[in-house]
Amino acid sequence: MKKLYVLLAFLMMFCLSSCVDIEEQYDFKTDGSCNVIYGFDMSKAVSVLVNLMSDSLKETPQFSLVKDTTLNFYSAMPDSTQQTMSVEESNMAKSSDLSINMNLKKSIMKVNITHVAKNAADLQYYLQNLSKIALNSRINAFTSPEKASKTFDARQMVAGQDYYSYDITPHKFYRIIDKAKFNAFLKKTQSTFMMAKAMLIDMPYKVILKFAKPVKKLNNSKAVLSADRRSVTLVTSMDEVIKNPSVMNLKIDF
């Protein structure tokens, strides 16, 4: 039984640290609000690593763990944390949800973080404080076997998002990567990135922004503007981002 928990803990840590298909979606509405989705699909990595398990481990009840649920970030926080939060932090958490779809036998491991921003200022506040929500929540309690939860912490999945700086108004979306913070993030996760590369597991990264009005100006040569100028798509990978962090910079006027 201990072997299963150790292997599951390793699998979870490895997947959430590096082996993920990451997709960011921004859907700007005519009233100035924006729906944001951070999607993390770790199924490919789970499929690879499950092959390392023995048949006896795969037949245990713990390996049969299945979860398909959505919970509110605020409700996932301890009471002691809720009591110390500001009004802004509480509102941010209450308008954010976590969805988990986990089935190890079918090699499924997907996590979505969703948020509804009322306006540009709300969106900027959310993006700059997303990691704080994750660190204060109990995500790991919902995504790992009880005995493995001390080793596996799903909160690290979004903690790295604080390496961006934002400038968002009703008519622009600017995001610049802070190279010092990004390098610090890489230092913490270097071993898992190297392991993923050694196992030939790719780490694609896609950013999709949909606008209610045509885009006037786009400053990123790799990003693709749709024919109607209402959608911007950036497709890259963590390998490329590590080599050239500036590829994630976006300056969009609309």
Side-chain angles (χ1 to χ4, degrees):
M1 188 65 67
K2 282 186 177 181
K3 289 182 179 180
L4 174 65
Y5 285 124
V6 171
L7 189 52
L8 281 176
F10 169 75
L11 183 150
M12 303 290 189
M13 287 177 61
F14 182 58
C15 292
L16 290 174
S17 297
S18 58
C19 300
V20 299
D21 289 10
I22 307 170
E23 184 169 309
E24 298 178 44
Q25 298 181 33
Y26 301 82
D27 191 359
F28 292 86
K29 307 298 183 180
T30 55
D31 63 358
S33 64
C34 181
N35 295 339
V36 187
I37 302 175
Y38 277 82
F40 302 85
D41 188 347
M42 296 150 274
S43 302
K44 292 179 183 177
V46 171
S47 178
V48 171
L49 295 177
V50 162
N51 289 330
L52 301 176
M53 294 183 177
S54 66
D55 291 338
S56 60
L57 289 178
K58 294 177 184 178
E59 295 302 320
T60 61
Q62 289 75 22
F63 185 77
S64 300
L65 181 66
V66 175
K67 291 185 179 181
D68 190 356
T69 185
T70 298
L71 58 146
N72 181 263
F73 257 113
Y74 186 78
S75 64
M77 294 179 179
D79 292 341
S80 57
T81 299
Q82 293 179 3
Q83 294 169 5
T84 62
M85 296 173 70
S86 66
V87 174
E88 292 79 7
E89 290 172 339
S90 296
N91 290 338
M92 177 177 63
K94 289 176 181 177
S95 57
S96 304
D97 292 326
L98 173 73
S99 299
I100 300 165
N101 184 3
M102 175 180 173
N103 188 325
L104 298 182
K105 282 195 171 183
K106 295 183 178 180
S107 295
I108 296 174
M109 175 67 77
K110 298 179 181 180
V111 176
N112 280 346
I113 300 171
T114 61
H115 176 76
V116 179
K118 300 189 296 283
N119 50 45
D122 186 23
L123 176 60
Q124 178 161 328
Y125 183 85
Y126 169 72
L127 294 175
Q128 290 179 334
N129 292 275
L130 173 60
S131 59
K132 185 184 295 185
I133 294 182
L135 291 173
N136 286 335
S137 70
R138 292 172 174 167
I139 299 177
N140 55 316
F142 292 92
T143 56
S144 65
E146 182 179 355
K147 292 184 180 180
S149 61
K150 290 184 180 180
T151 308
F152 156 53
D153 190 347
R155 297 172 300 180
Q156 65 180 299
M157 175 181 59
V158 289
Q161 291 296 322
D162 67 355
Y163 47 66
Y164 293 115
S165 61
Y166 293 90
D167 184 7
I168 304 173
T169 73
H171 302 289
K172 70 180 183 182
F173 180 93
Y174 288 9
R175 177 173 81 175
I176 305 297
I177 197 165
D178 185 317
K179 292 184 179 180
K181 290 184 177 180
F182 183 67
N183 288 335
F185 167 75
L186 290 181
K187 190 173 183 179
K188 292 180 181 178
T189 57
Q190 183 178 17
S191 60
T192 49
F193 278 118
M194 291 177 62
M195 190 181 300
K197 193 170 184 178
M199 296 181 70
L200 303 179
I201 297 176
D202 194 17
M203 294 166 281
Y205 201 135
K206 181 185 290 186
V207 184
I208 302 172
L209 303 100
K210 298 179 180 179
F211 299 92
K213 59 186 74 172
V215 171
K216 297 178 180 178
K217 186 178 180 181
L218 170 62
N219 187 355
N220 183 310
S221 59
K222 191 174 178 63
V224 177
L225 183 61
S226 63
D228 64 0
R229 303 187 68 85
R230 292 175 181 265
S231 178
V232 173
T233 303
L234 172 63
V235 179
T236 182
S237 69
M238 282 306 300
D239 272 349
E240 184 175 11
V241 174
I242 291 172
K243 294 174 184 176
N244 178 24
S246 297
V247 73
M248 296 301 291
N249 292 345
L250 285 168
K251 288 188 176 182
I252 305 171
D253 295 279
F254 55 93

